[in-house]
Amino acid sequence: MRFSQPEPEAADMTYPILVLTRTGVYQAFEREHRGRVRIPYTPEGKDPVPDGARWGYYAGFPIPFDIDYQVSVFTRAQEHQTLLTVELGREARIPHRGGALHIPEIGVHVSMDVQAGPTYSSRLDADNKRIFETYYLVRVASEMTPWDIERLTFPDRVAGTLRPLRDDKETEHFDFVYEAEED
């Protein structure tokens, strides 16, 4: 497998080969949220959150992006093209439904959807040898957190008054004290 970028020049190809090319990055407005969210991992350079801690790391909801890739498969034999199409269609690779990529550094799975493909073609190279080509267009859902990540601690006591919108309802008072669980 080879990424087409950031290669400054085309390298010699050994067949069969898969080439990944990023074709676009787009903000995914339909998946956007507002507010704050707990960061489910320890940000770089920060202290890890111990189990049962009353604090954690928080930031504004990340901005969602869709990253499109073209997956190009090149083979010398049509039999290899067929076998690779079957292998790439498996659930753990480029399935047409429910695809995902695991990102172990932050412990998440992101969705990956086939937008087009597989499409097939063939051509002759400079040495007049046949190359069989298979193309997929894949979209990976991602997100970016440009906000400052803050360490927040939960309060031990919350008290207040709930006032009704109508006069015929009673005012309610509440007082909640957090008590740590005993081991």
Side-chain angles (χ1 to χ4, degrees), residues 42-48 57 149-151:
T42 301
E44 188 175 332
K46 305 278 188 180
D47 294 329
Y57 295 108
I149 296 175
E150 301 176 277
R151 177 180 166 164

PDB file of all heavy atoms in Angstrom, residues 42-48 57 149-151:
ATOM      1  N   THR A  42      -6.775  11.184  27.636  1.00  0.00           N
ATOM      2  CA  THR A  42      -5.902  12.168  28.280  1.00  0.00           C
ATOM      3  C   THR A  42      -5.214  13.007  27.210  1.00  0.00           C
ATOM      4  O   THR A  42      -4.472  12.464  26.395  1.00  0.00           O
ATOM      5  CB  THR A  42      -4.845  11.467  29.155  1.00  0.00           C
ATOM      6  OG1 THR A  42      -5.525  10.681  30.140  1.00  0.00           O
ATOM      7  CG2 THR A  42      -3.950  12.482  29.839  1.00  0.00           C
ATOM      8  N   PRO A  43      -5.479  14.310  27.173  1.00  0.00           N
ATOM      9  CA  PRO A  43      -4.811  15.157  26.187  1.00  0.00           C
ATOM     10  C   PRO A  43      -3.294  15.142  26.388  1.00  0.00           C
ATOM     11  O   PRO A  43      -2.799  14.964  27.505  1.00  0.00           O
ATOM     12  CB  PRO A  43      -5.388  16.544  26.466  1.00  0.00           C
ATOM     13  CG  PRO A  43      -6.674  16.294  27.184  1.00  0.00           C
ATOM     14  CD  PRO A  43      -6.441  15.045  27.978  1.00  0.00           C
ATOM     15  N   GLU A  44      -2.592  15.326  25.308  1.00  0.00           N
ATOM     16  CA  GLU A  44      -1.126  15.300  25.338  1.00  0.00           C
ATOM     17  C   GLU A  44      -0.588  16.315  26.335  1.00  0.00           C
ATOM     18  O   GLU A  44      -1.018  17.457  26.385  1.00  0.00           O
ATOM     19  CB  GLU A  44      -0.587  15.609  23.939  1.00  0.00           C
ATOM     20  CG  GLU A  44       0.897  15.429  23.813  1.00  0.00           C
ATOM     21  CD  GLU A  44       1.373  15.616  22.386  1.00  0.00           C
ATOM     22  OE1 GLU A  44       0.596  15.372  21.461  1.00  0.00           O
ATOM     23  OE2 GLU A  44       2.529  16.018  22.218  1.00  0.00           O
ATOM     24  N   GLY A  45       0.329  15.859  27.182  1.00  0.00           N
ATOM     25  CA  GLY A  45       0.971  16.734  28.165  1.00  0.00           C
ATOM     26  C   GLY A  45       0.161  16.957  29.436  1.00  0.00           C
ATOM     27  O   GLY A  45       0.581  17.726  30.296  1.00  0.00           O
ATOM     28  N   LYS A  46      -0.985  16.316  29.571  1.00  0.00           N
ATOM     29  CA  LYS A  46      -1.834  16.501  30.743  1.00  0.00           C
ATOM     30  C   LYS A  46      -1.749  15.278  31.655  1.00  0.00           C
ATOM     31  O   LYS A  46      -1.373  14.195  31.242  1.00  0.00           O
ATOM     32  CB  LYS A  46      -3.297  16.695  30.329  1.00  0.00           C
ATOM     33  CG  LYS A  46      -3.531  17.819  29.348  1.00  0.00           C
ATOM     34  CD  LYS A  46      -3.608  19.123  30.042  1.00  0.00           C
ATOM     35  CE  LYS A  46      -4.032  20.219  29.055  1.00  0.00           C
ATOM     36  NZ  LYS A  46      -4.132  21.506  29.647  1.00  0.00           N
ATOM     37  N   ASP A  47      -2.126  15.475  32.925  1.00  0.00           N
ATOM     38  CA  ASP A  47      -2.165  14.365  33.881  1.00  0.00           C
ATOM     39  C   ASP A  47      -3.334  13.444  33.556  1.00  0.00           C
ATOM     40  O   ASP A  47      -4.431  13.920  33.240  1.00  0.00           O
ATOM     41  CB  ASP A  47      -2.342  14.890  35.312  1.00  0.00           C
ATOM     42  CG  ASP A  47      -1.144  15.696  35.783  1.00  0.00           C
ATOM     43  OD1 ASP A  47      -0.020  15.394  35.334  1.00  0.00           O
ATOM     44  OD2 ASP A  47      -1.346  16.623  36.594  1.00  0.00           O
ATOM     45  N   PRO A  48      -3.145  12.127  33.654  1.00  0.00           N
ATOM     46  CA  PRO A  48      -4.261  11.210  33.420  1.00  0.00           C
ATOM     47  C   PRO A  48      -5.324  11.340  34.512  1.00  0.00           C
ATOM     48  O   PRO A  48      -5.018  11.667  35.651  1.00  0.00           O
ATOM     49  CB  PRO A  48      -3.621   9.822  33.439  1.00  0.00           C
ATOM     50  CG  PRO A  48      -2.275   9.994  34.029  1.00  0.00           C
ATOM     51  CD  PRO A  48      -1.894  11.441  33.938  1.00  0.00           C
ATOM     52  N   TYR A  57     -11.408  16.256  31.692  1.00  0.00           N
ATOM     53  CA  TYR A  57     -11.063  17.259  30.676  1.00  0.00           C
ATOM     54  C   TYR A  57     -12.264  17.506  29.776  1.00  0.00           C
ATOM     55  O   TYR A  57     -12.927  16.567  29.330  1.00  0.00           O
ATOM     56  CB  TYR A  57      -9.860  16.794  29.862  1.00  0.00           C
ATOM     57  CG  TYR A  57      -8.604  16.698  30.691  1.00  0.00           C
ATOM     58  CD1 TYR A  57      -8.075  15.472  31.043  1.00  0.00           C
ATOM     59  CD2 TYR A  57      -7.962  17.848  31.127  1.00  0.00           C
ATOM     60  CE1 TYR A  57      -6.927  15.388  31.823  1.00  0.00           C
ATOM     61  CE2 TYR A  57      -6.811  17.773  31.905  1.00  0.00           C
ATOM     62  CZ  TYR A  57      -6.298  16.542  32.246  1.00  0.00           C
ATOM     63  OH  TYR A  57      -5.175  16.463  33.014  1.00  0.00           O
ATOM     64  N   ILE A 149      -8.739  22.837  25.792  1.00  0.00           N
ATOM     65  CA  ILE A 149      -9.223  21.755  26.643  1.00  0.00           C
ATOM     66  C   ILE A 149      -8.978  22.166  28.084  1.00  0.00           C
ATOM     67  O   ILE A 149      -7.871  22.540  28.446  1.00  0.00           O
ATOM     68  CB  ILE A 149      -8.510  20.436  26.299  1.00  0.00           C
ATOM     69  CG1 ILE A 149      -8.877  20.027  24.868  1.00  0.00           C
ATOM     70  CG2 ILE A 149      -8.876  19.344  27.293  1.00  0.00           C
ATOM     71  CD1 ILE A 149      -8.142  18.809  24.359  1.00  0.00           C
ATOM     72  N   GLU A 150     -10.041  22.107  28.911  1.00  0.00           N
ATOM     73  CA  GLU A 150      -9.949  22.554  30.297  1.00  0.00           C
ATOM     74  C   GLU A 150     -10.153  21.390  31.259  1.00  0.00           C
ATOM     75  O   GLU A 150     -10.898  20.466  30.966  1.00  0.00           O
ATOM     76  CB  GLU A 150     -11.039  23.583  30.598  1.00  0.00           C
ATOM     77  CG  GLU A 150     -11.004  24.811  29.731  1.00  0.00           C
ATOM     78  CD  GLU A 150     -12.188  25.700  30.050  1.00  0.00           C
ATOM     79  OE1 GLU A 150     -13.283  25.437  29.513  1.00  0.00           O
ATOM     80  OE2 GLU A 150     -12.012  26.634  30.857  1.00  0.00           O
ATOM     81  N   ARG A 151      -9.507  21.480  32.397  1.00  0.00           N
ATOM     82  CA  ARG A 151      -9.748  20.521  33.476  1.00  0.00           C
ATOM     83  C   ARG A 151     -10.837  21.109  34.354  1.00  0.00           C
ATOM     84  O   ARG A 151     -10.694  22.203  34.893  1.00  0.00           O
ATOM     85  CB  ARG A 151      -8.460  20.313  34.277  1.00  0.00           C
ATOM     86  CG  ARG A 151      -8.658  19.392  35.457  1.00  0.00           C
ATOM     87  CD  ARG A 151      -7.379  19.213  36.223  1.00  0.00           C
ATOM     88  NE  ARG A 151      -7.679  18.614  37.518  1.00  0.00           N
ATOM     89  CZ  ARG A 151      -6.773  18.063  38.283  1.00  0.00           C
ATOM     90  NH1 ARG A 151      -5.513  18.018  37.893  1.00  0.00           N
ATOM     91  NH2 ARG A 151      -7.108  17.539  39.441  1.00  0.00           N
TER      92      ARG A 151
END
